[in-house]
Amino acid sequence: SLAFTNLPSAAIVQIFRPNGTLMRTLRSQGAMTVAWDLHTDRARVIGPGLYRVRVLGRDSGGQPVPQQSFYIGLARAAREPR
């Protein structure tokens, strides 16, 4: 899994393919860390590649915080032939 840390108190973490397709939405529910199990919202395993992450949220007083966006690259280890 992959952890997103130092999140606003009411954060929404969205993971997109580079073409803009939304793959997963995670909600912090008051926690400052959210773990992503590397699956889509439909429980499919995410493949290797480049993904865009957008973090939206509100602070503890309920005020919106600036949106953060960044890219992450995922690589999977090759399996050895049996």
Side-chain angles (χ1 to χ4, degrees):
S1 72
L2 179 67
F4 298 98
T5 61
N6 297 322
L7 297 172
S9 61
I12 297 172
V13 178
Q14 298 174 310
I15 297 107
F16 299 88
R17 286 188 178 168
N19 69 5
T21 303
L22 179 62
M23 302 300 292
R24 185 71 186 259
T25 300
L26 305 167
R27 299 182 189 283
S28 68
Q29 299 177 339
M32 291 188 67
T33 300
V34 170
W36 178 30
D37 61 3
L38 303 178
H39 287 77
T40 67
D41 282 334
R42 295 182 177 174
R44 294 187 178 132
V45 175
I46 290 281
L50 185 66
Y51 294 89
R52 184 170 55 91
V53 178
R54 179 169 60 193
V55 179
L56 309 166
R58 297 185 176 273
D59 63 21
S60 58
Q63 297 299 312
V65 297
Q67 172 183 305
Q68 298 177 24
S69 293
F70 54 92
Y71 286 89
I72 57 173
L74 297 178
R76 301 270 183 180
R79 292 185 180 182
E80 299 215 6
R82 293 183 179 195

